[in-house]
Amino acid sequence: MNKENNLSKNQQIVFDIIEKSREPVKAYSILFNVKKKGIKAPPQVYRALEKLIKLGKIHKVESKNAFVACKSSNCEISKATAFSICETCEKVTEISDKKLSKYLKNFHDKTGMIYKKYNLEFYGLCTTCKRS
Amino acid sequence: MNKENNLSKNQQIVFDIIEKSREPVKAYSILFNVKKKGIKAPPQVYRALEKLIKLGKIHKVESKNAFVACKSSNCEISKATAFSICETCEKVTEISDKKLSKYLKNFHDKTGMIYKKYNLEFYGLCTTCKRS
DNA sequence: TTTCAAATGTTATATTATTACATACTGTTA
DNA sequence: TAACAGTATGTAATAATATAACATTTGAAA
C-alpha cells in the first residue's frame, strides 16, 4: 500500500495512466502501456480497475467499455455518474451538476425500488462538432 | 421484408427471442437459440440487433451487454432509455416515467452541448429482494 | 511473530463483437 | 422488364473485452 492515498502498486500504476489521459482509456490499452512496468496480464489490470471503481477514483463508461478518472468528487466514493459523449469526436466529459444529481438521487419509480447507484450517459454533439 | 412490421427474416427471429424473454438477452444466447432456425454466425445476430436498436424495437442494457424489447414506447424510435437493475436478482425493468424523461430531454450542461439521446441505468434493490 | 485479508503473478479460457468478402433479395424507375 | 441501388444474408476468421482458477507474496494488526 502507498501510504499517501491507500493505493497499492498496481492500482497506482493503473490510476496514473487513466488520470493522465484526456479521454476514456480501455483496459487493454492500459495493459499495453504498463507492460514496461511489469504488469503483464489482464487480471492484474482488471483487478486494479475493480478496486479503483470501488474507491470512486475512476468510473467505467459503460457504453464505451472504457475508464475515466473521477473529476467531480475527487477521491470520494461515487455511485452516481453522468457523462456526455459526443457522437462525432467521441469526447467524453463527466457531468457534475448538483441539480441533476439531486434529482436522480431522489428519483423513485412506481415499484418502490431503492436506488443506490446510477449511471447516465448522454449522447449528442459537442459545441466544437456542432459548428463544423 | 415482412410487410406487416418492416422486419426482415433474421430481424424478426431475433426480435421474437428478445420479446419473449422476461429478462435481458445476451447476443450469444440469442445465437445459441436461433441455430435451429438457420442463423449460424455472430454477425447475423449483431446485424439484426443493430437494426432493431435503430428502429427502437429493442434497447441495449449497456452495463449488462444484453438486449431488451422496448416496452414503453412500442415500435417508435426511442433514443431515451432508463432502466432499473436489481443488484441481487439481476432483474432489469424499463422505466417509463414522463417526468423523468421530460427532465432529461430538457437537460443542458454548461458547455452547450446538444443531447440527442441518453441512457440511464439505476442499480439497487427491487422490492422482492429488499424484503429478504 | 503469527495471522489474515488484500494484493500479486500466471496460465488458460470465456465472452462479446467486428472485419472482410461473396452472394442474394427487394423495390424502384428508366 | 432490365438495370440499378440499397438492404439483407451467409460464412470464415479474428479482434477485443473479461473472467476463472490457482499458487504465492505482502502488509498491517493482534
Side-chain angles (χ1 to χ4, degrees):
Chain A
M1 284 291 197
N2 176 334
K3 292 285 170 50
E4 281 175 48
N5 54 19
N6 257 6
L7 297 184
S8 73
K9 177 174 136 280
N10 287 1
Q11 288 157 18
Q12 188 67 56
I13 291 170
V14 168
F15 181 66
D16 286 346
I17 298 270
I18 298 172
E19 242 237 321
K20 275 172 197 142
S21 170
R22 296 181 59 262
E23 53 196 22
V25 201
K26 306 211 151 214
Y28 275 73
S29 150
I30 294 169
L31 179 57
F32 179 82
N33 279 289
V34 297
K35 284 252 163 95
K36 47 200 146 190
K37 304 218 174 190
I39 296 181
K40 293 176 196 156
Q44 296 174 291
V45 171
Y46 280 100
R47 285 192 292 232
L49 289 171
E50 187 182 19
K51 190 63 193 283
L52 291 167
I53 288 170
K54 230 175 228 155
L55 294 172
K57 313 265 310 171
I58 65 169
H59 307 303
K60 181 171 187 181
V61 182
E62 293 287 354
S63 62
K64 287 189 138 355
N65 297 316
F67 304 85
V68 292
C70 178
K71 298 285 192 331
S72 64
S73 59
N74 204 27
C75 296
E76 285 172 37
I77 292 171
S78 165
K79 294 175 167 174
T81 56
F83 301 99
S84 71
I85 302 171
C86 177
E87 287 177 317
T88 301
C89 71
E90 304 264 292
K91 188 177 185 332
V92 175
T93 312
E94 186 169 1
I95 297 172
S96 53
D97 182 292
K98 286 265 166 59
K99 271 195 189 168
L100 176 66
S101 60
K102 193 178 167 194
Y103 183 88
L104 292 175
K105 267 173 198 154
N106 292 326
F107 179 78
H108 305 284
D109 67 9
K110 297 158 201 156
T111 69
M113 182 163 165
I114 297 172
Y115 296 137
K116 298 197 285 193
K117 207 168 104 178
Y118 67 77
N119 178 58
L120 171 58
E121 296 176 14
F122 282 108
Y123 307 84
L125 274 183
C126 73
T127 47
T128 308
C129 293
K130 193 164 55 176
R131 279 196 293 274
S132 49
Chain B
M1 283 293 197
N2 176 332
K3 293 286 168 54
E4 281 176 49
N5 54 19
N6 256 7
L7 297 183
S8 73
K9 176 174 137 278
N10 287 0
Q11 288 158 17
Q12 188 67 55
I13 291 170
V14 169
F15 181 65
D16 287 346
I17 299 271
I18 297 172
E19 242 237 321
K20 274 173 198 141
S21 171
R22 297 183 57 263
E23 52 196 22
V25 200
K26 305 211 152 216
Y28 275 73
S29 150
I30 294 169
L31 179 57
F32 179 82
N33 279 290
V34 297
K35 285 252 163 95
K36 47 201 143 186
K37 305 219 173 187
I39 295 180
K40 292 176 196 157
Q44 297 174 291
V45 172
Y46 281 101
R47 285 191 294 231
L49 290 171
E50 189 182 18
K51 188 63 191 280
L52 290 167
I53 287 170
K54 231 173 228 157
L55 294 172
K57 313 265 309 174
I58 65 169
H59 306 304
K60 180 171 187 181
V61 182
E62 293 287 353
S63 63
K64 289 190 138 355
N65 297 316
F67 304 85
V68 292
C70 177
K71 299 281 189 339
S72 64
S73 59
N74 204 26
C75 295
E76 286 172 38
I77 292 171
S78 166
K79 296 176 164 172
T81 55
F83 301 99
S84 71
I85 303 170
C86 178
E87 288 177 316
T88 300
C89 72
E90 305 265 291
K91 186 176 185 336
V92 175
T93 311
E94 186 168 1
I95 297 172
S96 52
D97 183 292
K98 285 266 165 60
K99 270 193 189 170
L100 177 65
S101 60
K102 193 176 165 195
Y103 184 88
L104 292 176
K105 268 173 196 155
N106 292 325
F107 179 78
H108 304 284
D109 65 10
K110 296 157 203 158
T111 69
M113 183 163 165
I114 297 171
Y115 295 136
K116 299 197 285 192
K117 206 168 106 178
Y118 67 78
N119 178 59
L120 171 58
E121 294 174 14
F122 282 108
Y123 307 84
L125 273 183
C126 74
T127 47
T128 307
C129 292
K130 193 163 56 176
R131 280 196 291 273
S132 47

